[in-house]
C-alpha cells in the first residue's frame, strides 16, 4: 500500500473518490481475515460496497456474534457498534469509523429517566407484573437494565415475537425508546387500543392516571425516529390515487396512521427481500431511509420504485460514516493502531449480553 506519512483524519478529507477507493481496498486486503466489515442498509453506496456483510440490526448483530475476527469495523451507528462489542469476545475489537454517528432516537431515552419511570410504574403495577423491553436502538446501559430486570432486547424484525415472549411471562411490558415500533407491534398482536399507553417522560406518572397504568398491557416511551416521522398518510394516499395496484411498504418506525394504510411493514432486510422477490413490472413506494431506497431502485431496474415522501429522509448520522473515515480507520489498523474503538464497560456488558442473548435465542 501507499506509504502514508500521517494518520490524522484531516488528511483524508481532500482525497479523491478514486484514491479513497484504492486505499480502502488495499488496506482491507492487507488486513485479510483479521478484519470483518459490517454495513447497515442505510449506509451510502461508497461505503457499503466494502462491507463483507450487509443487513438489518438483527442480521448484523448475529453476524458479529458469529464472527471470530480480531477487528470488526461497523459501518452503522453507535448503538450497533456497542451491540457488536457486547456479543463479541474480549480479544475482539469493534471500531466505529466516526464516533459521532449516533442515533437521535436512542438518545431520547436515558437510564436515569427510564429508572425513574420504572419506579413509578412498578409502585402501581408491582414489579412482578411487568417486564422491560428495549429496542436495540438504545444505549448499552438500557440493555443492561433490561438484563437485570429479566427483560429483553428486540429489533424491528422481531419486535412482535419479543413482546409476545414477554407477555407470555407477565402482565405488562414497558417498551422503550420507540413509541411507534411498540404501538405497531402491539396492534399486530391484537392488543386493544385502550390497553396501550404512552409514557411522556416529563409529566408526572408519564401523563397517565393510576387506573390507566393498572389497565395497560403495554407502556410506550415517547421516543421516535425523526427520519421515519417524515412519512405521512397523505403520501400513501398520493401514490394510491396515481398508481392503482401500487404496493406500499414501510418500516415499523413509521407512525401508526401510515402503517395502517400501507400494504406491508417490516425491517430494512424485510423491505429489501420483499421488493426483490416481487414480480417484474410491479410498482412500489417505499417508506424508509433514502440510501436504501435509491440502491434498491438501482438494483431492481425491472420494477418501478418510488420514495414514499417528497422530503429527503436521510439518516444524517448514518451518513457520517463516509469513505474518508473508513479509509482512516483501516489504514490505522494496517499500521497497528486502533482508532475509534467502541468499548462497553464490563459490568454493563455482562447484563446487556443477557438481554441480547435472550433475543438471539428467540
Ligand atoms: P433495521 O433493524 O430494520 O435495519 O432498523 C434499524 C434502524 O435504525 C431503522 O431506522
Ligand atoms: Fe436512528 Fe432513525 Fe437513523 Fe435509524 S434512521 S439510526 S432510528 S435516527
Amino acid at each position: 500500500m501507499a506509504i502514508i506519512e500521517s494518520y490524522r483524519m484531516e488528511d483524508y478529507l481532500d482525497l479523491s473518490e478514486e484514491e479513497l477507493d484504492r486505499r480502502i481496498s488495499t488496506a482491507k486486503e492487507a488486513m485479510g481475515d483479521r478484519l470483518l466489515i459490517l454495513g447497515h442498509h442505510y449506509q451510502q453506496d461508497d461505503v457499503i460496497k466494502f462491507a463483507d456483510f450487509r443487513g438489518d440490526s438483527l442480521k448484523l448483530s448475529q453476524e458479529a456474534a458469529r464472527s471470530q475476527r480480531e477487528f470488526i469495523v461497523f459501518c452503522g451507528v453507535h448503538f450497533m457498534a456497542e451491540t457488536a462489542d457486547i456479543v463479541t469476545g474480549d480479544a475482539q475489537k469493534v471500531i466505529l469509523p466516526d464516533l459521532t454517528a449516533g442515533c437521535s432516537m436512542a438518545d431520547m431515552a436515558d437510564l436515569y429517566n427510564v429508572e425513574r419511570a420504572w419506579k413509578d410504574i412498578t409502585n402501581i403495577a408491582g414489579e412482578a407484573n411487568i417486564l422491560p423491553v428495549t429496542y436495540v436502538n438504545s444505549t448499552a446501559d438500557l440493555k443492561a437494565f433490561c438484563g437485570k430486570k429479566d427483560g429483553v432486547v428486540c429489533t424491528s424484525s422481531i419486535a412482535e415475537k419479543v413482546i409476545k415472549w414477554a407477555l407470555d411471562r407477565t402482565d405488562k411490558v414497558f417498551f422503550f425508546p420507540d413509541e411507534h415500533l411498540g404501538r405497531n407491534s402491539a396492534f399486530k398482536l391484537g392488543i386493544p387500543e385502550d390497553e396501550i399507553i404512552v409514557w411522556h417522560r416529563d409529566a408526572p406518572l408519564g401523563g397517565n392516571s393510576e387506573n390507566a397504568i393498572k389497565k395497560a398491557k403495554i407502556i410506550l416511551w415517547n421516543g421516535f425516529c425523526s427520519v421515519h416521522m417524515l412519512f405521512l398518510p397523505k403520501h400513501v394516499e398520493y401514490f394510491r390515487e396515481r398508481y392503482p395496484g401500487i404496493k406500499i411498504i414501510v418500516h415499523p418506525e413509521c407512525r401508526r396512521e401510515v402503517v395502517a394504510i400501507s400494504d406491508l411493514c417490516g425491517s430494512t432486510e424485510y423491505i429489501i427481500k420483499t421488493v426483490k422477490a416481487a414480480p417484474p413490472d410491479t410498482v412500489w413506494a417505499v417508506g424508509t431511509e433514502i440510501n436504501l431506497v435509491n440502491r434498491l431502485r438501482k438494483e431492481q431496474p425491472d420494477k418501478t420504485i418510488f420514495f414514499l415522501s417528497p422530503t429527503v429522509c436521510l439518516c444524517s448520522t448514518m451518513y457520517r460514516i463516509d469513505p474518508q473515515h473508513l479509509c482512516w480507520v483501516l489504514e490505522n489498523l494496517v499500521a497497528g493502531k486502533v482508532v475509534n474503538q467502541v468499548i462497553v464497560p464490563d459490568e454493563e456488558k455482562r447484563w446487556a449480553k443477557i438481554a441480547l442473548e435472550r433475543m438471539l435465542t428467540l
Side-chain angles (χ1 to χ4, degrees):
M1 63 171 278
I3 307 233
I4 45 174
E5 285 161 5
S6 162
Y7 295 94
R8 293 179 318 154
M9 182 51 225
E10 305 87 274
D11 296 330
Y12 290 75
L13 297 178
D14 294 329
L15 298 181
S16 69
E17 241 175 72
E18 294 72 30
E19 177 154 18
L20 284 164
D21 255 30
R22 185 181 55 75
R23 283 171 59 169
I24 293 171
S25 303
T26 309
K28 192 179 170 196
E29 214 180 301
M31 290 304 294
D33 60 12
R34 297 172 70 201
L35 169 74
L36 177 74
I37 303 183
L38 296 177
H40 185 265
H41 290 308
Y42 292 163
Q43 290 292 302
Q44 49 189 300
D45 289 350
D46 288 345
V47 167
I48 205 150
K49 65 184 176 193
F50 294 107
D52 298 300
F53 283 100
R54 301 174 182 195
D56 61 6
S57 309
L58 179 67
K59 200 171 156 192
L60 294 175
S61 54
Q62 286 167 332
E63 219 44 72
R66 245 193 302 270
S67 171
Q68 297 299 317
R69 305 256 172 120
E70 203 178 334
F71 302 105
I72 295 178
V73 171
F74 213 119
C75 298
V77 288
H78 197 266
F79 74 80
M80 296 180 178
E82 275 190 338
T83 302
D85 186 49
I86 293 163
V87 297
T88 49
D90 291 345
Q92 293 170 285
K93 293 183 170 48
V94 177
I95 290 154
L96 182 66
D98 184 343
L99 288 175
T100 67
C103 163
S104 53
M105 177 208 285
D107 294 341
M108 289 175 190
D110 61 288
L111 184 61
Y112 173 76
N113 281 305
V114 167
E115 280 183 336
R116 271 183 50 195
W118 179 256
K119 218 166 145 199
D120 285 348
I121 296 166
T122 54
N123 276 343
I124 293 166
E127 190 147 359
N129 302 318
I130 184 159
L131 285 175
V133 176
T134 187
Y135 187 23
V136 72
N137 296 36
S138 57
T139 49
D141 55 3
L142 287 181
K143 294 184 178 82
F145 172 83
C146 288
K148 282 183 198 160
K149 303 282 180 197
D150 297 326
V152 61
V153 177
C154 75
T155 68
S156 65
S157 53
I158 52 166
E160 251 170 273
K161 202 172 178 179
V162 170
I163 293 171
K164 182 170 180 323
W165 174 92
L167 288 175
D168 285 345
R169 278 155 188 79
T170 191
D171 186 41
K172 294 181 198 302
V173 158
F174 182 29
F175 187 90
F176 39 87
D178 188 14
E179 175 185 336
H180 304 282
L181 175 66
R183 183 177 291 106
N184 287 320
S185 309
F187 266 86
K188 275 201 185 166
L189 288 169
I191 298 174
E193 212 166 339
D194 61 351
E195 292 178 16
I196 304 171
I197 61 169
V198 179
W199 190 271
H200 297 273
R201 60 205 113 130
D202 299 323
L205 291 188
N208 302 288
S209 66
E210 283 199 24
N211 274 346
I213 294 171
K214 279 184 191 148
K215 190 177 174 201
K217 270 265 162 240
I218 180 152
I219 302 170
L220 306 170
W221 192 259
N222 68 337
F224 57 87
C225 166
S226 40
V227 178
H228 289 90
M229 280 301 94
L230 294 171
F231 300 107
L232 301 172
K234 67 179 179 190
H235 303 144
V236 177
E237 285 152 16
Y238 171 92
F239 280 106
R240 287 231 191 275
E241 266 168 35
R242 278 163 187 77
Y243 303 93
I246 192 170
K247 290 274 185 209
I248 314 279
I249 188 165
V250 298
H251 195 277
E253 286 172 14
C254 291
R255 57 186 92 222
R256 177 72 209 142
E257 306 89 284
V258 169
V259 173
I261 57 171
S262 297
D263 297 292
L264 298 157
C265 172
S267 78
T268 54
E269 186 75 15
Y270 169 84
I271 291 174
I272 293 169
K273 275 193 179 154
T274 306
V275 175
K276 281 189 175 170
D281 299 324
T282 44
V283 184
W284 292 84
V286 182
T288 196
E289 208 267 352
I290 196 151
N291 279 293
L292 182 157
V293 183
N294 284 343
R295 188 155 51 242
L296 196 55
R297 189 184 290 129
K298 266 189 250 159
E299 289 173 358
Q300 301 289 300
D302 58 338
K303 289 156 205 161
T304 305
I305 300 173
F306 295 105
F307 186 62
L308 184 59
S309 168
T311 323
V312 175
C313 307
L314 171 95
C315 178
S316 54
T317 47
M318 284 272 181
Y319 199 66
R320 290 190 181 166
I321 308 297
D322 52 19
Q324 288 83 347
H325 283 84
L326 181 59
C327 189
W328 174 62
V329 297
L330 291 183
E331 291 193 340
N332 269 291
L333 280 182
V334 174
K337 286 204 269 177
V338 177
V339 289
N340 284 10
Q341 186 181 353
V342 172
I343 306 174
V344 177
D346 282 346
E347 183 63 4
E348 226 167 75
K349 193 184 256 189
R350 185 163 78 87
W351 288 108
K353 195 170 182 167
I354 292 172
L356 269 162
E357 279 175 351
R358 268 184 205 126
M359 169 186 87
L360 291 172
T361 51
L362 272 181

